[in-house]
Amino acid sequence: MKKTVFAGFGGQGVLMMGYVFAVAAMRDGREVTYLPAYGAEMRGGTANCTVVVSDEEIFSPVSSSPDFAVIMNKPSLVKYEGVMNGGGTIFLNSNHVSRELTRDDLTSIRIPAVEIAKELGSERVVNMIMLGAFAAHTRMTSLDSIMNGLSEIVKDTKASIMKLNRRGLDRGAEYILKGDSR
Amino acid sequence: MKKTVFAGFGGQGVLMMGYVFAVAAMRDGREVTYLPAYGAEMRGGTANCTVVVSDEEIFSPVSSSPDFAVIMNKPSLVKYEGVMNGGGTIFLNSNHVSRELTRDDLTSIRIPAVEIAKELGSERVVNMIMLGAFAAHTRMTSLDSIMNGLSEIVKDTKASIMKLNRRGLDRGAEYILKGDSR
Amino acid sequence: MEELVFTRPRYIKKAPFHYCPGCGHSIIHRLVAEVIEELGIGEKTIGVPPAGCAVLAYDYFDVDMGEAPHGRGPALATGIKRILPDRIVFSYQGDGDIAAIGTSETIHTANRGENITVIFVNNNCYGMTGGQMAPTTLLGQNSTTTPGGRDENRDGPPIDLSEMLALVRGTVYIERTAVNSIRNIRNTKKAITKAFKAQIAGLGFSLVEILSPCPTNWKMSSTDSCRWIDESVMQTFPLKVIKDEIG
Amino acid sequence: MEELVFTRPRYIKKAPFHYCPGCGHSIIHRLVAEVIEELGIGEKTIGVPPAGCAVLAYDYFDVDMGEAPHGRGPALATGIKRILPDRIVFSYQGDGDIAAIGTSETIHTANRGENITVIFVNNNCYGMTGGQMAPTTLLGQNSTTTPGGRDENRDGPPIDLSEMLALVRGTVYIERTAVNSIRNIRNTKKAITKAFKAQIAGLGFSLVEILSPCPTNWKMSSTDSCRWIDESVMQTFPLKVIKDEIG
Amino acid sequence: MDKKLLMRGSQVIGEAAIRAGCRFYAGYPITPQNEIPEFMSGAMADLEGGTFIQAESEIAAINMVIGASMAGARAMTSSSSPGISLKQEGISFLAALELPAVIVNVMRGGPGLGNIAPSQGDYFQATRGGGHGDYRSIVLAPAHGQELADLTRKAFEYADRYRTPVMILADGMMGQMMEPVVFPDPINLDELPPKPWVLDGAQGRPSRIIKSLILDTVEMEEHNWKLDRKYKIISGEIPHAETYMTEDAKLVVVAYGTAARIARGGIKRAREMGLKVGLLRPVTLWPFPDRAIREMSRLVKDFMVFEMNTGQMIDDVRLSLEGRSNVHFYGRPGGIVSTPDEIGKAISSLYYRQHLKED
Amino acid sequence: MDKKLLMRGSQVIGEAAIRAGCRFYAGYPITPQNEIPEFMSGAMADLEGGTFIQAESEIAAINMVIGASMAGARAMTSSSSPGISLKQEGISFLAALELPAVIVNVMRGGPGLGNIAPSQGDYFQATRGGGHGDYRSIVLAPAHGQELADLTRKAFEYADRYRTPVMILADGMMGQMMEPVVFPDPINLDELPPKPWVLDGAQGRPSRIIKSLILDTVEMEEHNWKLDRKYKIISGEIPHAETYMTEDAKLVVVAYGTAARIARGGIKRAREMGLKVGLLRPVTLWPFPDRAIREMSRLVKDFMVFEMNTGQMIDDVRLSLEGRSNVHFYGRPGGIVSTPDEIGKAISSLYYRQHLKED
Amino acid sequence: MKPKKGRIVIDSRLCKGCYLCVSVCPNECIGISEESNEKGYHPAKVIGTKDANDRACTGCTLCAVICPDIAIEVYRG
Amino acid sequence: MKPKKGRIVIDSRLCKGCYLCVSVCPNECIGISEESNEKGYHPAKVIGTKDANDRACTGCTLCAVICPDIAIEVYRG
Ligand SMILES: Cc1ncc(C[n+]2csc(CCOP(=O)(O)OP(=O)(O)O)c2C)c(N)n1
Ligand SMILES: Cc1ncc(C[n+]2csc(CCOP(=O)(O)OP(=O)(O)O)c2C)c(N)n1
Ligand code: SF4
Ligand code: SF4
Ligand code: SF4
Ligand code: SF4
Ligand code: SF4
Ligand code: SF4
Ligand SMILES: [Mg+2]
Ligand SMILES: [Mg+2]
């Protein structure tokens, strides 16, 4: 059973990342829960969600001691670094979060997602780049599953945009596989 | 412990009779409860109340099996005759209720209160006449106590009216004492 | 040949009314029943009686009737009408019911333009509970909760709900009438007819406010009560068509 | 000599607002605080915040503040004011709070002429709960509970509570303003000042309805939101003095 | 002033409230308690600084009371069953905001519109919190006129002492009946302890907040436990029950309010027949006098709960006993007022069925 | 259609309701259940004969539901704790009028405004009748997404079968969480049994009355006993509890809803440590599965009630056991969601304290 | 044109003696009984007939229209 | 009359980058930062100075009056 937190500002596509990942994992045949922050927790411009993926029954969908965190801004790093499971991994959007981790029992993976997105010509795929990196590193699902999940969710999206999303995923994954992130 | 029901149409001063009697008995030093019918029970123009007077604690103020009934109209006779305690006494305003009792374990005392009131020059004292007769027969309180009770309740009533009330009480009592009611 | 020219309408059951002598409620019941009969809608009408003196209206109207909690008639009628849009639904309410506890339900049901008819019986008091001040009690009028008569500073002034309802867009027909004279009774029937016709035509929310005597709580004779409506009540609540968008 | 000509008013605490960027609530908070300061009533003012985005208003206003259940601010303020008639009491409410669930409390508090001031923030939606239709949502406006935009037939039209309140006798001052431009902000402050002055003079119920941007739920930028108020909201809710009996 | 007065129960509550320093009443008519607002309208008009408001609804009334309480007043509202249901959100707020207030429920038959006859169908609602969230209201159950006066006084005291809503749970019979009452002297408002939490304008001190929204779950939990600790203190301090002929009793009737009064009559009759029967009457329904019942269970193996409903307080009796004794039930819902004779019969029938006569 | 969908709990309730034939929904926004009205606004718009109304208040909503139910529709409303308090009068009317309806309470922290985090503070209100008078609502407590769908279907069935309001008691977590769900096929409205009490215009038959005012106390008493008999039938037919690892358990956790889900995790951890622990999860909260618990008490001498409140269901557990076994409590009110680890620790600590490890 | 002739029937069990019919009859055809009915009300009674000259009921229905208790039936012709 | 001279101070921790001040400044003295603040907003910043010619702040307070977050203080003189 693995818990992953996705966190950042509202508008960074954080909830979408988690949602797509959850659907992908469900279609892979895993047990899955997705819990968004809601209501007043969302005021002040932050957003986060927790996805639990497991091969057995999931008891609690909440983000106490997550194993992974995909962090899109500094306040989220502050919030989640402390509660991570020992040995956990934090994926950082390094264009927004410059500081280092303070815990040494965690691994950090830094992805310059904004830069990469700019290369692809659209800042809207920052979240897909992060998700691609996350999937490539954790191997909890495949990029194909993610694309399937995405098309299930955003049904009538233009092919060109879907293509862009795919390229975002690919570039994020590539970045990991090439080992640039260490 | 004696239970008395006062019953008739609204406007016949039925509730006042019971109230005055209850205050009189209280001032005599007895235990007393007064329970008026209320709310929807009062629609349809009927009114009734139950007064319980006792030398000990009163457990129930309701009119199940009353010992006495002061009855001002026919429907009330119908309603209460059946539930009276065996051996009980019913005081009937004979100008409004002509029929005889159907139970032979009850005593009826008939007072032509409207006639008497007319003699006194005001139909407003019908209830006092009945009350005077009731008090004289049951000896549960005195006419003086009733007058005291009355002045306690209707504080700033004109002396002339109080006088009239007194004459009503007296005439009712007289009617009993002279034995006219058998 | 002698002909029966006036008798109990078809949709009033043969039960004696529990109302006090001279009470306007039963006149209004009869008028509503006459209109239902004349419009031929008795078999598809559903009435909603209120908490109030008219709470037992279901014992009189011979149409389907469903009781509402105090003040909630319009909301309840909304539920019925939305499920059965081709039935005729009316809510029958007192002034306390409609303009005190039910203010919000009344205004929003009207605003949504629910296609129902409301019969609003304004007797300037809480009749059923024994004569307390109603939102419509006149200034200076006695009630059991306004010692010395209703006082504007202490108790606030009477409220004119019908005028307020005229402001919302969903209402198509609002008239204030009375049942204190032959003429006013006849006009009331016309108004009720118009209101139901508006509903039959699917136009929206219609309401007839009817000034109605409550001799018991006004502590007046029936005839004085009728006079008092003319002389006093109408000063504050003038009879008029308040809104008519039926065309 | 350089002089500080604009800074945080005395009766706003030094806490960052939790409101979204471009939200009108905090502008309105500041205006109310400025008026309280200018009228010198900060030490005797008691505010009643609503359930709504402004629920945390007590974290910002540096005066005594007592929370009300959703929609009941006017009733609660009535209780406070009747006990402390020489204090200044205001109730701060959203359009859902005042014109949906609180309709009845608002109208009857106004009708009684309670000597309080109501700040009515009309942002045409339920802000706090995430952008559902409010009674004031415009026709055609999108919300999370009106698929395809508010539809008059299905959802009813927007309701103009202030107009209705003008009909009741207890209200002395009602004005609709906005905070979408410098000019309107200045007028809003004048209106709030007048409303509080009416209360200080003991005249009765005063209310300022303020059109206020909710960029988040309108899904517009702050500047577009301000424009949209001019172009659309004011078509349905024109700025004006709706009632002024202050003289 | 210690003159006996014959007064209607509803008015007794009103008069006692005013003597207890109640200066704010808001209510809405409903039978059988209309005499409370009617009395208050006159009494408050005669009183310097007294406020009576006939609210537009029960909800408005309870919220006016919240406001008046925030402003420091001893405040009260009253209603009967359906109207009390409408006040549940407000009562939950009073509890959460830790505000004193007195709420009178003159119960009638229910559910729904029901009728206006005396009933005890709202026991669960009163004692379990008909509103949302973890809270309790103190519930006092008078059984006769004098106690209406005495417990109304107590209600205001408890409300202030514990900063919590207190409900007086009466029924239509008690509201309508007249009985002799002697009132305690009016309190002196100036001698009451100050309320250092009142909203009355900052006037130099830091501004105050009264609120129940606590978004942080850790803080909210602490608030819940704080309330819970308070409820534990109350449960230690004020449970009260009255006993009648229990010394040698083999069967004890548990009943409150009007039911208890009638039960006394039934017990007297049963005693006259030689049955060893007594009464335990909870005066506080919450906190429930569970210890008193539990202690009694050492000697008494049969309890008969008598309620004017289909069985609600019986849960609390069973919770008090947890199997230590047998718990039987006799109930008359819907506004039926049993006679003492009827209860006497129910008692003796149970007595023989349980073979209590044998030894 | 049996495809697994990842759906938010609130929407699951909405979709399941529509598949259960719900054709009328009225509600008022309140977090954390706004997604129910939001979902319904779209779904009903797409549905022939479907009505969605955003009511002006919770009170209006429940009364609209009363009307729709009178007219024969399967009808539903939903809210969260404070809004449910406001519906209590209406729920009492539904019970009294014997009308089917489904009410969803997505509980949040309370009392008062509280917070919007998951909580179970409304147990008493739901199971004891927060409204006035002698009545009960059926209360169903789902614990995960699939059950939200299944119990919503059941809720409508029970409501119709017994002509009584049914409450679905969920919490903020369940309302917000997404989980895979497989929906049952939509029912065919035409195949439902007819409702021979519906108000739809007399159309030749005698006119009908639906009312709850019964002024005559004898009739009212009979109505109360009639309802009581119905509640007894329901109590015989539908109590339901789920067990988990109870076969050899020495300690049984009793928990419902989200608390039960978390407790399963705690139990699994405790089992891993060799402790013989199981779970009993009431699925119906009223009628409470008291027999299931009582039977278990033959082997199990220690029960640990775990609730997300300060202790409410514990009363029902104690009433089920009446002293037969020990009842312990672990509670976290205010919106705190415990972790399975925390519960595991609470379990093991209790296990050792009770010396269950020894034999 | 011949003046219309009418006749009314008062159900004295339903009548509550409110005087409203009395007050509206243009021809003073209705009075109130001395006797009270079962409910204690003094019911209205017809005091004019079809044939009596100045108390001739015309069957105008006014009395019935205002009667709150539907206690009056009117015949004409 | 000499044109008034002004100066504003923007508290970038409070600012939420809503652009409202930018949109109302008659002298185009305010812009939005590239950098984001702690809360992720791009705060407003002063882009004109007292002395620069066509971006001279007059201390007119318009920006402060419309700022929803009381993030601007204005000095004059
Ligand atoms: C929730 C609730 N509150 C109060 C009552 C009591 N009650 C019944 S009718 C009524 C008001 C009656 O006045 P109105 O609506 O004017 O009708 P009327 O009797 O005058 O025709 C009241 C307060 C109730 N039944 N339910
Ligand atoms: C009884 C009750 N019902 C519903 C809610 C949920 N709720 C909180 S604020 C609100 C409406 C917010 O809209 P509005 O009053 O317009 O204020 P805004 O947030 O738009 O400023 C609602 C429905 C509640 N807190 N209490
Ligand atoms: S109290 Fe008034 S309204 Fe009610 S029945 Fe009597 S006269 Fe009619
Ligand atoms: S949701 Fe709207 S009203 Fe609420 S804080 Fe955000 S912008 Fe302001
Ligand atoms: S029908 Fe006309 S004339 Fe005849 S009694 Fe009636 S009112 Fe008089
Ligand atoms: S109007 Fe009707 S009720 Fe009144 S006196 Fe005439 S017949 Fe009788
Ligand atoms: S004070 Fe005036 S000139 Fe200066 S920055 Fe602000 S708006 Fe521009
Ligand atoms: S108006 Fe205020 S919050 Fe908005 S950008 Fe300018 S300084 Fe920042
Ligand atoms: Mg009325
Ligand atoms: Mg709003």
Side-chain angles (χ1 to χ4, degrees), chain D residues 27 113-114 149 152 162 195 239:
Chain D
I27 302 180
E114 299 294 342
E152 174 146 12
S162 295
L239 302 195

Side-chain angles (χ1 to χ4, degrees), chain D residues 8-113:
Chain D
R8 186 168 286 262
R10 157 75 185 83
Y11 293 106
I12 292 282
K13 295 178 192 166
K14 278 175 194 64
F17 292 114
H18 73 290
Y19 301 106
C20 310
C23 176
H25 271 302
S26 43
I27 302 180
I28 296 164
H29 285 15
R30 195 191 73 224
L31 298 178
V32 171
E34 285 174 1
V35 169
I36 288 174
E37 185 173 358
E38 286 165 21
L39 295 175
I41 53 175
E43 307 295 296
K44 61 173 190 170
T45 293
I46 301 154
V48 178
C53 278
V55 66
L56 295 175
Y58 42 65
D59 285 344
Y60 310 128
F61 281 109
D62 195 8
V63 299
D64 279 6
M65 300 284 284
E67 167 193 285
H70 188 34
R72 318 306 176 188
L76 209 138
T78 295
I80 298 175
K81 184 75 181 191
R82 290 283 189 118
I83 294 303
L84 301 169
D86 60 347
R87 306 302 199 282
I88 302 303
V89 179
F90 74 94
S91 165
Y92 186 108
Q93 307 183 250
D95 45 346
D97 194 75
I98 204 171
I101 193 170
T103 309
S104 185
E105 285 77 7
T106 310
I107 287 175
H108 286 279
T109 302
N111 187 55
R112 283 192 310 270

Side-chain angles (χ1 to χ4, degrees), chain A residues 1 19 22-23 26-27 30-36 38-41 56-62 64 152, chain F residues 3-6 8 31-32 116-118 172-173 176-180 244 261-262 264-265 268 337 339-340:
Chain A
M1 190 194 64
Y19 187 19
V23 171
M26 175 180 73
R27 293 282 168 246
R30 324 275 308 268
E31 293 294 321
V32 55
T33 63
Y34 165 92
L35 182 70
Y38 59 94
E41 244 196 286
E56 339 172 310
E57 182 184 354
I58 298 170
F59 299 116
S60 175
V62 298
S64 54
E152 190 175 327
Chain F
K3 198 183 168 199
K4 245 194 211 174
L5 295 172
L6 191 72
R8 195 178 284 234
T31 311
I116 56 177
M173 171 105 85
Q176 293 300 320
M177 188 185 6
M178 285 190 168
E179 280 190 283
Y244 175 68
R261 178 179 191 141
I262 295 165
R264 280 171 83 102
K268 207 175 152 232
V337 181
T339 60

